[in-house]
Amino acid sequence: MSSNSESLGHLPIDAMSTAAGEATKTDTHGHSHDAHGGHGEHHEEQNFFLKYFWSTDHKIIGMQYLFTGMLMALVGGFTVYVFRMQIAFPGISVPGWGRVTPANYDGLITTHGSVMIFWVAMPVLIAALGNYLIPLMIGCDDMVFPRLNRLSYQIFAISILVLGASFLVKGGAFGGAWTSYPPLSAKAEYNLTPQGAPLWLLAVALEFVAFLLGGINFVTTVMNSRAPGMKMFDVPMVVWMIVIASILFMASVGPLVAGAVMLLFDQTVGTHFFDPNKGGDPILWQHLFWFFGHPEVYVVLLPATGIVAEIITVFSRKKLFAYKTVLYTAVGTGVLSFFVWAHHQFIAGIDPRMANIFSLTTLLISIPVAEMMFVFIATLYGGSIRLTVPMLWALAFIGEFLIGGVTGIFLGASGADIYFHDTYFVIAHFHYTFFPIAFISVFAAVTYWFPKMFGKMMNETFGKLHFWGTIIPFNFIFIPLFLLGVRGDHRRIFDYSRFPDLMKPGMPELRVLATLSLVTLLAFQAIFLLNFFYSLFKGKKADRNPWLANTLEWQTPSPPPHGNFPEGLPTVYRGPYEYSHPDRAQDYWPQNEKAAS
Amino acid sequence: MDGAFPHEPEPMPSLPLRRPRRQVVPSSVLGTLIFVVSETMFFAGLISAFTISRANQGPGNWPPPGQPMLPASSTALNTVALLLSGVALLVANWSFKKSPSAPLTRGSFTASWVLGVTFVALQGREWASMFAQHLTLTSSTMGSFFYLIVGTHALHAVAALLALAWALVAVWRKTLSPGYFFGVQTFWYFVVLMWPVIYARVYF
């Protein structure tokens, strides 16, 4: 595919603005040691440590988050391998771990859940992609608060150290499930992890501080630093989605932090906020947790749909269907997501009248999400579809997430949920939503933006092999779990062989099938890692715009230098999705290309 | 070009054009405002948890047996001190925009800071007296919530006063930047306005 450097439209004003801007860089940013490369007089070679560990460059910080998230995904993958082996083959000595004790089992499940959500999905979807993409896609040189951004990653790194420390203390990592319900989480004699429990809470709290700083940056940057000419409806959808998700996160996290402080006091100081015998209320935690926990689902879902929107339009060569509708829908979903939390508590003893209201809101929220799926299908309709690796992932997202969404209806209806609660049906539903969010959309994003991030193309054949090797086993893990859940398989059991009701013919076989599929899925991730690192060093060199896309990040060299736009900051003339415009010979029309008059 | 964003059409070379977009809300204020929204939700979580726990005790059981009443009337004085501090800072802001180095700017800013410190000191005295009456962090749910909520607010007040102290030194040295001043003001108004809510919900 051809380079499109000739199509870059620049007014002379841009060149002037950059020159003048560079001169005042230290005043406006306040990070004088941080010279932007690509501009002769200010170029300053930084050593490896300063460049990759002490940088205020949003791209480096985004990659720090990406690589850390990938590393944590390996931790989350290893823990699920160990406890799934125990579920399928009770009492087996798991290769790479050994015999799993009941305490191990609780710790492994807690670690899997909290790592995958708090240290994989959030950092990769929000922090890594938000940091990397926002300044590039809105056409500015960095975040508004670059040092705050660096602090954000540093706090995040400390949170991982704290979590890591909890593996080493007496009793091991926290074993109270990622939802951390008291009294299990509050009392050491129940969770058996007296030191792991407070460390887990501390790690989660630090991680939230990191994302709070990031979110402040994202929203402020998009509001105040967009390229001249970029109106609200010219902002690429993925940027909008990350902004809305950040606002949701920042508005919902407060009550959880309040609950976390109270729980930490219960664990360490001796208060009784959640102890019913001493005037406390354990259900209170569930409300505080899920008031955050349910918007959190949309905090990660919205960026994932944003990624899918970008990729589907590029590889359909078609305008995104109903841009404004998608945007308003996302805002509506965000608002509604604050009124669904108690559907996690239908059997926790809440008033059935309240349960009815929350059933209603839960069913309602499926409408906007379904609408987004229809919009994607409408975008595909009549397009010239190119089945590249990112496009395969984006299409898979629609299909797989749909299964997660449809099964959610059964759990949202309080009547059905009384039966399904705490069965493997919930697990399967949850993973049909979160696996597409945290992995399918992330694989789509990584394969799509890899040429921009590293200046190299990824191998398509290995990419497709990895795609099919992930998608097929994924369904073979969770369809059996749906079937098990319908048959009443309870989710919090260490050794099923002690429960004859749960060992009826077919049930152990389904567990073995799910576990073997999981091992297959994990094995295929080696292909991704090989492809990733091989392409990083030895891949074919990428043009600045290998996918012929419109958005601003593709109109600058790959990888973009420090400062992002060496030819001068762009001016925007149109929306991000002008593909196959009838008046043009080319089927794409970059946002910063001046119209021929 | 569109006319929606009034960046300079004929830029002069001397102007720093890196951010041609006019900021509707300055970045420092916007960033602080977003942070304040999060903080408001944090306090909302604490206060609603308190409200639910108190309602769980049933009517007539508050304060719990053996626990003192909170001194609502003497705390009214602290509340007035804090609100006056907010008003003084508003005056300082108004004067700063007209003339950053005017005596009124310095005077009202200093008054605001002193009133803020007075509030924290009076709250500290109140804590000492409540402690003497056997209300502690672990004596009852009431004690736990009292020290948690009021203590969290006090931590915010102290942090904001430190940030204000930095700005106060700068205003006397005539080096105070408007961005920093507006940002730290936003945070102080949050501390000031959160207090009457806490006072109304927790002390009565």
Side-chain angles (χ1 to χ4, degrees):
Chain A
M1 298 185 180
S2 69
S3 159
N4 74 326
S5 57
E6 72 285 355
S7 67
L8 286 165
H10 291 294
L11 288 168
I13 151 179
D14 285 321
M16 279 162 61
S17 73
T18 315
E22 281 299 314
T24 55
K25 172 92 37 200
T26 51
D27 302 338
T28 48
H29 262 191
H31 55 292
S32 51
H33 69 277
D34 212 38
H36 287 213
H39 296 276
E41 71 276 17
H42 272 273
H43 188 74
E44 193 176 291
E45 203 54 57
Q46 290 173 315
N47 69 33
F48 185 83
F49 177 79
L50 279 184
K51 186 169 177 198
Y52 291 108
F53 293 95
W54 202 256
S55 177
T56 51
D57 182 358
H58 70 98
K59 297 185 291 298
I60 301 291
I61 293 169
M63 284 183 209
Q64 288 173 334
Y65 269 115
L66 178 67
F67 283 105
T68 316
M70 281 167 62
L71 190 71
M72 293 309 278
L74 296 179
V75 175
F78 179 71
T79 50
V80 66
Y81 153 74
V82 176
F83 73 72
R84 274 308 310 183
M85 289 297 276
Q86 162 66 23
I87 290 171
F89 312 104
I92 193 187
S93 176
V94 179
W97 178 273
R99 277 180 66 88
V100 181
T101 66
N104 284 162
Y105 183 81
D106 289 350
L108 287 166
I109 283 196
T110 307
T111 306
H112 170 72
S114 29
V115 162
M116 285 300 197
I117 288 174
F118 295 133
W119 282 280
V120 178
M122 299 269 299
V124 173
L125 275 165
I126 311 267
L129 293 174
N131 268 312
Y132 192 87
L133 295 178
I134 286 177
L136 279 168
M137 290 184 107
I138 66 171
C140 67
D141 60 351
D142 207 331
M143 290 286 177
V144 167
F145 307 114
R147 283 180 299 182
L148 209 58
N149 213 13
R150 179 178 62 192
L151 184 65
S152 159
Y153 179 76
Q154 288 164 343
I155 293 175
F156 177 73
I158 292 172
S159 82
I160 289 180
L161 294 180
V162 173
L163 185 78
S166 80
F167 291 95
L168 308 173
V169 296
K170 194 168 132 283
F174 179 48
W178 80 276
T179 51
S180 192
Y181 280 10
L184 176 63
S185 59
K187 297 202 175 212
E189 61 261 43
Y190 298 154
N191 59 45
L192 304 175
T193 47
Q195 291 157 11
L199 283 176
W200 180 89
L201 267 178
L202 192 64
V204 172
L206 283 170
E207 198 244 11
F208 288 165
V209 173
F211 290 149
L212 191 58
L213 298 178
I216 290 171
N217 241 328
F218 295 167
V219 179
T220 313
T221 304
V222 174
M223 290 305 127
N224 280 349
S225 292
R226 293 191 310 280
M230 184 179 267
K231 289 173 276 188
M232 285 291 188
F233 295 131
D234 296 336
V235 175
M237 195 48 76
V238 68
V239 173
W240 264 126
M241 291 295 188
I242 291 173
V243 166
I244 297 168
S246 300
I247 294 171
L248 285 188
F249 173 79
M250 289 183 289
S252 64
V253 75
L256 177 60
V257 174
V261 173
M262 289 156 66
L263 187 56
L264 193 65
F265 275 32
D266 273 12
Q267 287 169 348
T268 55
V269 183
T271 55
H272 303 285
F273 288 113
F274 301 120
D275 184 350
N277 297 323
K278 303 271 177 60
D281 182 358
I283 304 294
L284 186 58
W285 165 265
Q286 299 187 17
H287 284 292
L288 293 170
F289 182 86
W290 290 116
F291 184 83
F292 162 81
H294 212 84
E296 162 72 11
V297 171
Y298 298 93
V299 168
V300 286
L301 169 63
L302 293 180
T305 54
I307 292 163
V308 171
E310 299 298 327
I311 292 172
I312 279 188
T313 47
V314 170
F315 295 113
S316 303
R317 314 309 291 168
K318 238 186 107 192
K319 197 168 180 160
L320 178 68
F321 187 88
Y323 175 99
K324 287 186 186 176
T325 312
V326 175
L327 181 55
Y328 296 145
T329 302
V331 173
T333 312
V335 173
L336 202 52
S337 74
F338 281 90
F339 301 97
V340 298
W341 81 87
H343 67 215
H344 295 271
Q345 299 163 244
F346 285 151
I347 65 156
I350 64 169
D351 191 322
R353 287 164 295 184
M354 194 161 99
N356 282 343
I357 295 169
F358 279 98
S359 279
L360 198 67
T361 53
T362 305
L363 299 185
L364 275 178
I365 205 166
S366 58
I367 295 172
V369 179
E371 191 212 292
M372 280 192 230
M373 299 296 139
F374 281 124
V375 163
F376 295 150
I377 293 167
T379 305
L380 289 167
Y381 180 78
S384 3
I385 294 172
R386 295 169 188 186
L387 288 178
T388 57
V389 175
M391 184 63 161
L392 285 175
W393 286 111
L395 294 175
F397 176 87
I398 299 175
E400 304 289 0
F401 187 84
L402 212 59
I403 300 177
V406 168
T407 50
I409 305 274
F410 298 95
L411 297 171
S414 57
D417 183 64
I418 288 168
Y419 178 74
F420 285 126
H421 190 90
D422 266 350
T423 67
Y424 267 90
F425 192 90
V426 178
I427 308 270
H429 154 73
F430 174 87
H431 285 86
Y432 261 107
T433 59
F434 258 72
F435 189 87
I437 290 170
F439 291 98
I440 294 183
S441 82
V442 167
F443 283 135
V446 169
T447 48
Y448 178 64
W449 278 294
F450 189 91
K452 184 51 62 183
M453 287 181 170
F454 304 107
K456 302 282 172 66
M457 300 301 290
M458 280 180 96
N459 184 303
E460 286 269 313
T461 313
F462 282 110
K464 284 179 181 166
L465 190 64
H466 169 242
F467 170 77
W468 292 110
T470 303
I471 290 295
I472 295 169
F474 165 66
N475 288 291
F476 275 94
I477 298 170
F478 291 107
I479 288 174
L481 296 193
F482 274 128
L483 300 175
L484 281 166
V486 171
R487 296 179 69 175
D489 209 8
H490 196 274
R491 66 189 281 197
R492 301 191 198 281
I493 289 176
F494 162 66
D495 182 353
Y496 286 90
S497 62
R498 299 181 190 189
F499 295 84
D501 276 359
L502 300 179
M503 292 296 282
K504 287 178 187 153
M507 295 180 81
E509 288 81 358
L510 284 174
R511 286 185 204 115
V512 171
L513 174 60
T515 297
L516 293 182
S517 306
L518 170 80
V519 173
T520 316
L521 183 144
L522 289 175
F524 268 96
Q525 303 318 303
I527 294 179
F528 173 76
L529 290 175
L530 273 176
N531 191 2
F532 187 96
F533 287 104
Y534 182 82
S535 306
L536 186 58
F537 296 108
K538 297 273 172 72
K540 190 162 80 68
K541 207 169 156 11
D543 289 334
R544 65 169 63 199
N545 192 0
W547 313 118
L548 305 178
N550 286 347
T551 41
L552 293 175
E553 83 274 28
W554 299 107
Q555 319 309 330
T556 187
S558 308
H562 201 158
N564 291 349
F565 295 96
E567 293 104 344
L569 292 176
T571 301
V572 168
Y573 300 97
R574 66 189 59 79
Y577 303 115
E578 298 296 330
Y579 293 102
S580 305
H581 195 282
D583 299 344
R584 275 173 65 83
Q586 285 168 308
D587 69 348
Y588 67 110
W589 202 356
Q591 283 191 277
N592 62 341
E593 190 179 309
K594 205 176 177 189
S597 48
Chain B
M1 286 299 298
D2 62 280
F5 296 104
H7 48 82
E8 288 81 2
E10 292 293 327
M12 286 183 290
S14 62
L15 279 176
L17 288 170
R18 241 192 83 259
R19 301 208 184 286
R21 178 171 296 279
R22 187 175 63 89
Q23 299 181 352
V24 180
V25 180
S27 292
S28 65
V29 175
L30 184 59
T32 316
L33 271 178
I34 298 167
F35 181 60
V36 160
V37 168
S38 269
E39 290 275 43
T40 307
M41 289 304 290
F42 173 56
F43 277 98
L46 289 176
I47 293 170
S48 51
F50 168 76
T51 308
I52 291 168
S53 289
R54 182 173 167 172
N56 281 346
Q57 315 296 320
N61 288 333
W62 201 264
Q67 297 290 285
M69 290 286 286
L70 294 177
S73 52
S74 72
T75 313
L77 177 70
N78 312 1
T79 309
V80 169
L82 189 62
L83 289 175
L84 283 177
S85 165
V87 173
L89 196 59
L90 274 175
V91 173
N93 180 49
W94 173 78
S95 169
F96 179 83
K97 282 181 180 165
K98 293 173 89 177
S99 156
S101 55
L104 180 62
T105 311
R106 295 180 192 171
S108 51
F109 194 178
T110 312
S112 169
W113 194 79
V114 170
L115 281 164
V117 171
T118 310
F119 167 79
V120 174
L122 288 173
Q123 285 296 124
R125 201 185 63 173
E126 181 183 299
W127 275 33
S129 94
M130 296 320 289
F131 227 80
Q133 297 176 56
H134 309 292
L135 184 75
T136 67
L137 189 60
T138 52
S139 66
S140 68
T141 318
M142 176 186 170
S144 307
F145 272 111
F146 172 73
Y147 289 107
L148 178 65
I149 296 175
V150 177
T152 307
H153 183 264
L155 278 178
H156 282 78
V158 169
L161 284 169
L162 288 175
L164 277 173
W166 186 267
L168 191 59
V169 171
V171 85
W172 282 95
R173 287 183 179 165
K174 300 174 186 173
T175 56
L176 182 57
S177 79
Y180 182 79
F181 188 41
F182 298 149
V184 76
Q185 273 190 65
T186 310
F187 193 63
W188 184 245
Y189 296 139
F190 159 71
V191 171
V192 169
L193 293 176
M194 185 50 72
W195 177 253
V197 180
I198 295 172
Y199 179 58
R201 295 301 312 168
V202 177
Y203 281 75
F204 292 95

